[in-house]
Amino acid sequence: MADPSSYRPKPGQIPDSPGVYKFRDEHRRVIYVGKAKSLRQRLASYFQDVAGLHPRTATMVTTAASVEWTVVSTEVEALQLEYSWIKEFDPRFNVKYRDDKSYPSLAVTLNEEYPRVQVMRGPKKKGVRYFGPYGHAWAIRETVDLMLRVFPVRTCSAGVFKRSAQIGRPCLLGYIGKCSAPCVGRVTPEEHRELAEDFCDFMAGRTGTYLSRLEKEMHIAAEDMEYEKAARLRDDIGALRRAMEKNAVVLADATDADLIAVAEDELEAAVQIFHVRGGRVRGQRGWVTDKVEAVDTAGLVEHALQQLYGEEKGEAVPKEVLVPALPEDTPALNQWLADRRGSQVSLRIPQRGDKKALMETVHRNALQSLALHKTRRASDLTTRSRALEEIAQALELDSAPLRIECFDISHLQGDDVVASMVVFEDGLARKGEYRRFQIKSFEGQDDVRSMHEVVSRRFRRYLQEKLKTGEWEAEDGQAPEEDDGRPKRFAYPPQLIVVDGGQPQVAAAKRALEELGVDDVAVCGLAKRLEEVWLPGEDDPVVLPRTSEGLYLLQRVRDEAHRFAIQYQRNKRGKRLKSGPLDVVPGLGESRKQALIKHFGSVKKLRQATIDQICEVPGIGRKTAETVAAALAQAVPAGPAVNTATGEIIEDETPAPAGASSERGTEQ
């Protein structure tokens, strides 16, 4: 635990101007990012008597080992820089909202020649129009099913679309009138895009004009005695109204607004957002966060606004944002939101009427979300804490192993030997910190030697990171390098290493640590046969009860490492088996491989080409052409394929993607 006075900057060094500051720990990892109108006043507040600070702030300043800052010209720039740094460094003491699930959205891919309507999750893509998010994917599919009757936009995948175009027949939706079948040319690309844009306009809330137009067309058709057309238009209007009824009117003035409500206690907070478009609730989402920093409701709202609109532009930012409390820097936030939208945005607290009533509904949802989260989390926290305590007690550790790393070796009869490293922190998987290794020091099957190599490489990288920060001095006295605080692959040591295996693998891992002088990391092995826990230098294993939460956690860690290693080994083997003759040409990337195959049509024709003909391919110089010709001349072509029904020899004239093998084998 650091003394804040040990790294406190002198008052005269801190500028009295707007800026963003970073606290770093002893590993140079950024642990907190904040902004201030006056850096001097804000930073001075952290270096008062620790006993007078909020408990969370006191924990942060005693964990930190240094502080630095960046001066900006305006509060809006400070807001933007703070958001960028929080996203980049992922500081542990900043409020970070986490979705309790991945909410689906209705997406229209306007960036394609034939736009497609589909359900999408995850980060938003450029050129795609989104509506939602929705609580359930089935709600999107029900809405789309009703809308396709009126707006028969393509919903099929690229593979289905391509197949229908090849055979000249549309899919089932094309036959029943729920797709305009652009795959077979029933409509032009321009007509199909117009349908997609009408679909987007209707989903965006511009419903009145379109319904009026359909009703007018229905009456005209009836007057002209075109009763079938009039009946179809009547059914279309009914379908659109049923789709609209799924989103009841909540604001009579057809407002576009987002409503944000917060429910909180001393430890956690839940945020609920309702997206209202055209007066109807078009989407809903919720976040939960641990209050790892001293923050009030206004601060939680500010963080929510940053996360909600940090990556959005244009109409994705509504004209109105209704909140329960205004942040301290409301003018800067208003300007930031306006810059992202491209026009004025109103950030305010609803005082009366429908908007205040709807805000109360959103707040009730936030309260329910927080209560549900606490019900789930209480059990999870208790179980994980008990598991870590049981492991610490069984292995006689000084404290619970908050960070556990597990290593596993995988191969297929000695070929494609690889290893995996998985990371669990506080009993939960940290998949972003998983790593995989190729065994480089030898060939063949030797799990013990492989384990020694992998553990050595992992902790050699750890010592290199310590060298950069000056925590460890190399024998040659190499000077530490400057660190930018971004998360490093191997910068943080575990409290416990788990290896998949018994005594030999445990001894190899321990020997690797001793050779590097690492003596503060515990090692154990989990043998699959009897699920015994082996410790270095012990003749007898530690046997945990079958009902032990600690044993269950070790099994999860071991099984995850095994899964990750097998996945990597299979991918590596698959790439090797699918490699073609062009893959061995040095300096020939994927783009130029594809250009060669596209130009000549097949590997066979490329092999028959002269160097001058190969040089005609864009991007291929004479030296590269000579290398390609030499590689293909050395490769032995596969034998001809035979049609087993007729005995006919099938010539290889079909084009194949670069690096892909045919069904009868890879050309070598």
Side-chain angles (χ1 to χ4, degrees), residues 218-388:
M218 179 184 68
H219 292 310
I220 292 174
E223 290 174 0
D224 294 342
M225 292 186 290
E226 296 179 4
Y227 299 120
E228 289 185 1
K229 180 180 178 181
R232 180 174 55 79
L233 290 170
R234 177 202 62 200
D235 294 341
D236 289 349
I237 294 170
L240 291 180
R241 284 180 172 159
R242 286 195 300 276
M244 291 170 59
E245 287 169 1
K246 290 182 175 293
N247 301 108
V249 175
V250 291
L251 298 177
D253 56 355
T255 300
D256 290 346
D258 283 350
L259 290 87
I260 302 173
V262 178
E264 58 183 310
D265 59 18
E266 287 297 320
L267 299 177
E268 295 176 307
V271 175
Q272 280 286 311
I273 301 101
F274 276 25
H275 303 279
V276 179
R277 299 295 182 269
R280 300 173 184 269
V281 178
R282 296 291 184 180
Q284 174 188 0
R285 70 175 77 176
W287 296 321
V288 182
T289 183
D290 295 322
K291 295 173 71 172
V292 292
E293 60 175 301
V295 61
D296 57 8
T297 302
L300 291 169
V301 168
E302 180 176 334
H303 289 303
L305 292 171
Q306 286 180 311
Q307 177 154 329
L308 192 59
Y309 304 116
E311 304 295 328
E312 304 291 356
K313 287 188 176 180
E315 293 185 358
V317 182
K319 295 179 181 178
E320 273 190 85
V321 180
L322 306 178
V323 295
L326 290 176
E328 178 183 355
D329 300 328
T330 299
L333 273 169
N334 264 324
Q335 183 60 48
W336 181 68
L337 291 170
D339 291 343
R340 306 207 71 77
R341 176 178 169 82
S343 61
Q344 192 63 37
V345 176
S346 172
L347 177 65
R348 63 186 184 85
I349 303 172
Q351 300 294 335
R352 63 183 69 85
D354 293 341
K355 293 177 182 177
K356 188 174 189 302
L358 182 58
M359 177 63 83
E360 292 172 355
T361 301
V362 183
H363 184 251
R364 284 196 298 272
N365 277 265
L367 289 171
Q368 293 174 0
S369 176
L370 182 62
L372 181 60
H373 170 76
K374 282 191 167 296
T375 302
R376 295 171 178 168
R377 181 90 186 261
S379 174
D380 292 343
L381 276 175
T382 303
T383 303
R384 295 203 309 269
S385 299
R386 185 166 65 249
L388 294 173

Side-chain angles (χ1 to χ4, degrees), residues 41-52:
Q41 294 180 16
R42 177 62 58 83
L43 289 177
S45 67
Y46 289 103
F47 294 102
Q48 53 183 285
D49 184 8
V50 175

Side-chain angles (χ1 to χ4, degrees), residues 494-631:
Q495 285 79 49
L496 175 64
I497 286 179
V498 180
V499 299
D500 183 10
Q503 283 177 304
Q505 288 83 356
V506 173
K510 185 65 175 178
R511 188 172 69 255
L513 295 177
E514 290 175 346
E515 290 171 356
L516 294 172
V518 178
D519 57 3
D520 57 350
V521 177
V523 181
C524 75
L526 186 61
K528 286 191 178 73
R529 190 170 66 89
L530 298 175
E531 302 292 16
E532 300 166 329
V533 180
W534 290 91
L535 298 177
E538 298 291 336
D539 295 330
D540 298 318
V542 176
V543 180
L544 293 173
R546 288 290 176 177
T547 57
S548 165
E549 290 292 342
L551 177 60
Y552 176 63
L553 177 56
L554 290 176
Q555 289 172 331
R556 283 179 53 217
V557 173
R558 189 268 318 277
D559 293 344
E560 180 69 355
H562 187 61
R563 179 200 65 79
F564 193 53
I566 286 179
Q567 181 187 52
Y568 179 39
Q569 196 272 337
R570 287 174 177 169
N571 291 342
K572 191 169 182 287
R573 185 174 75 248
K575 289 181 180 178
R576 177 171 58 81
L577 293 176
K578 291 181 180 179
S579 63
L582 293 178
D583 293 332
V584 301
V585 179
L588 191 65
E590 194 64 32
S591 297
R592 292 201 289 177
K593 288 181 198 174
Q594 293 178 1
L596 286 167
I597 295 298
K598 183 177 180 181
H599 183 84
F600 291 101
S602 69
V603 175
K604 179 179 178 181
K605 291 182 179 179
L606 174 59
R607 182 180 283 111
Q608 297 170 350
T610 65
I611 293 177
D612 290 336
Q613 290 173 332
I614 297 175
C615 289
E616 295 175 1
V617 179
I620 304 295
R622 188 164 193 84
K623 186 175 180 181
T624 303
E626 293 173 352
T627 307
V628 170

